[in-house]
Amino acid sequence: MDDVTGIGLQRHRLARRGFMMTSVMTGFSLATTTVEAQAIHTDTKGLVAGAAQIPVSDGHLPGYAARPDGAGPFPTILVIEEVFGVNAYLQDVCRRFAKLGYLAVAPEIYARIADLSKITNDDEIGRVIAQSRDSQIMSDLDATAAWATQHHGDPARLGVAGFCRGGRDVWLYAAHNPHLKAAVSWYGVLDGKTSAIQPQTALDVADKILCPLLGLYGSEDVFNPVPMIHQAEAKAKAAGKTVEIVIYPDTPHGFHADYRPSYREAAAKDSWRRALAWFKRYDVA
């Protein structure tokens, strides 16, 4: 195995034990109906960035990580994907954080089930998501945080950020990990079907979160009606939790994803500014 950096970031070849699919996506997700030119391109100058292998209970989980070139320890952000794999956009988000002094790492949380980069059918994507165990995702995020600690991350300054389905997982992880300092959910799906392996929605755990959470939503989000967003906020605040919800007017779901038609530049930039301020306010930065 080639170790590019000496700190656990690997060049292309990834362990396969225990997984059906292990590739880290290097291009845009084929699962996205319409892909446009990415609005933001973040280079690797001054960074250590590349594919990572994260030890988990049954093998090694592939992922992508970026950090400043230096010893650290650096404040750490776990970045949780949408449902399109750790694609070029997610990798760029990691580099954006790294340029600001963070170690950012995005694990491929669906790699055991399928390679989402090769799925183009929405129904097939849905079946993959339905097979994912929330308990496994929580465990994998714990393992990712542990990996970060061993690779120049500061365990005392740990945050989590996620988008869409990953934003939903942000709510769940904020109710799971007592060591988190802060969480940011971009249009995290609040409701939906439950099952034996996905027993709770984000709305269900809104009153159980263990760290301050910033929720960033659009008023025209078809997955998150505005009354439901306010319901989650009210439930968390009634339980004494620190939650701030921002709802951008005339803005759809996926407004931060700068490779899709849903991208809205003004909301994306403002939400990024708010996220950085949130992490700074609650001692992740």
Side-chain angles (χ1 to χ4, degrees):
M1 179 68 62
D2 259 347
D3 188 329
V4 183
T5 65
I7 63 160
L9 298 184
Q10 307 292 335
R11 189 193 308 276
H12 304 310
R13 296 170 57 198
L14 299 172
R16 287 175 171 80
R17 180 166 64 88
F19 296 96
M20 294 172 60
M21 299 289 180
T22 57
S23 65
V24 174
M25 295 173 61
T26 57
F28 298 114
S29 170
L30 296 176
T32 308
T33 302
T34 304
V35 175
E36 300 183 335
Q38 204 172 333
I40 301 173
H41 297 273
T42 306
D43 62 38
T44 59
K45 184 177 181 180
L47 303 181
V48 177
Q53 291 203 76
I54 300 158
V56 290
S57 60
D58 54 349
H60 287 76
L61 197 69
Y64 182 88
R67 64 165 175 83
D69 188 2
F74 302 105
T76 299
I77 305 292
L78 308 182
V79 180
I80 312 179
E81 64 179 272
E82 304 160 299
V83 293
F84 305 126
V86 180
N87 57 13
Y89 160 67
L90 258 290
Q91 293 175 27
D92 199 276
V93 168
C94 287
R95 294 193 296 273
R96 294 173 208 178
F97 277 122
K99 288 282 188 176
L100 297 169
Y102 294 93
L103 163 60
V105 53
E108 287 269 15
I109 57 176
Y110 303 111
R112 289 178 183 80
I113 304 170
D115 182 350
L116 288 172
S117 70
K118 294 181 171 64
I119 298 177
T120 59
N121 182 280
D122 288 345
D123 290 337
E124 290 183 39
I125 293 173
R127 283 192 285 272
V128 170
I129 303 308
Q131 293 176 60
S132 62
R133 292 180 175 272
D134 284 341
S135 60
Q136 185 71 71
I137 291 174
M138 298 300 104
S139 176
D140 287 343
L141 291 171
D142 286 343
T144 303
W147 179 93
T149 297
Q150 296 164 5
H151 295 91
H152 302 255
D154 184 350
R157 293 183 290 168
L158 177 65
V160 63
F163 305 84
C164 184
R165 181 74 181 187
R168 174 255 191 194
D169 293 334
V170 163
W171 284 87
L172 269 63
Y173 197 59
H176 165 81
N177 188 343
H179 303 297
L180 278 176
K181 290 289 189 180
V184 178
S185 172
W186 267 272
Y187 33 88
V189 179
L190 293 167
D191 203 3
K193 283 186 176 181
T194 58
S195 67
I197 63 172
Q198 297 176 5
Q200 294 182 301
T201 67
L203 184 58
D204 289 334
V205 303
D207 59 344
K208 300 178 179 66
I209 59 174
L210 303 170
C211 70
L213 186 146
L214 173 65
L216 301 161
Y217 289 87
S219 67
E220 306 307 309
D221 188 334
V222 296
F223 300 106
N224 296 296
V226 169
M228 185 180 296
I229 300 170
H230 288 314
Q231 183 183 355
E233 178 183 28
K235 185 174 182 178
K237 289 184 174 180
K241 307 301 181 179
T242 300
V243 171
E244 182 176 311
I245 299 294
V246 178
I247 301 176
Y248 294 96
D250 303 317
T251 300
H253 187 82
F255 62 80
H256 189 270
D258 61 350
Y259 68 109
R260 297 210 301 269
S262 58
Y263 177 60
R264 298 293 184 271
E265 183 179 9
K269 287 183 175 179
D270 185 76
S271 65
W272 182 253
R273 177 187 63 78
R274 289 175 184 271
L276 296 176
W278 192 259
F279 287 132
K280 184 175 182 179
R281 183 185 312 171
Y282 293 104
D283 301 322
V284 178

